Amino acid sequence: MVKGAKSKYRDKLLGLVVHLKVNGEIIKTGASNDKVLALSEETE
Amino acid sequence: MKIRNFLLIACFPITAVFGEMRTYISKDGSKTFRGELIEYESSTKKAKMRIARGKVLTFSIDVLSKEDQKYVEEQGPIVQAKKSLSVETKHYSKRTEKNKPAQGQWHFEKYDHNYIVTVENKRDEMLKDVTVEYIFFVERNRREYQNKIEKISGSDTIDLVLSNGTETITTKSANLESWSDNPVMPSGGGGG
């Protein structure tokens, strides 16, 4: 950030969800946090 | 323009999806039993199953009905993958832009963010066609976006994960911005 400048608008990275699939079936799921897992379920 | 790289390691736990307990029928149709497929070796056609009271049996799938043999042959690679695959992610961030604002302009910086996903096969057999599906989210906080949440998703299939080997995929990038709340003001005098 620029010295002396206050960051007012900062985009935020909320996290990642990963699914591993074999033969079309999800075999493992991982998420960086519960919020992002819930978000991914809402949008699927 | 100076470009800086950052590496943030974000490892997270993976939730395993467990095997399915189901009813199997013998080849002649005279007997049934409930079992959970634990392991299947396609070269020998031997299945390992957990049956009632936790007892584990290993037997040739030739003793099963045709339908159940097909099921075991289809589920074998999935069961194997559940046991042997693990995943780790690393988060990368790189500043791509930073302005030198003149009077009346705003400060801003822009960063590219992405992840590298590493899949590890911990068994002595290779695994084919492992698909990695990913989704990540960015909250856009500039006034005009009003905290809109943007979804970035994609998938990549790894043709082969060698025995005791690792493969990686790189996700798409997301561009994140940060802006100062006020433009640079004249330091004194009338300017102009």
Side-chain angles (χ1 to χ4, degrees), chain A residues 11-41:
Chain A
D11 293 339
K12 191 177 173 188
L13 191 67
L14 300 178
L16 173 78
V17 176
V18 176
H19 298 297
L20 292 188
K21 279 186 169 180
V22 172
N23 286 356
E25 188 175 316
I26 294 175
I27 58 155
K28 292 191 176 179
T29 294
S32 5
N33 55 64
D34 291 342
K35 185 182 174 183
V36 79
L37 186 61
L39 267 175
S40 75
E41 285 166 358

Side-chain angles (χ1 to χ4, degrees), chain A residues 9-10 12 19 21 28, chain B residues 85 133 139 141 143 179:
Chain A
Y9 306 112
R10 183 185 287 271
K12 191 177 173 188
H19 298 297
K21 279 186 169 180
K28 292 191 176 179
Chain B
L85 287 183
E133 285 187 358
E139 190 179 82
N141 288 325
R143 191 172 293 152
W179 291 71

Side-chain angles (χ1 to χ4, degrees), chain B residues 9 13 23 34 79 125 132:
Chain B
I9 300 176
T23 301
R34 297 274 293 163
V79 169
E125 289 175 49
V132 180

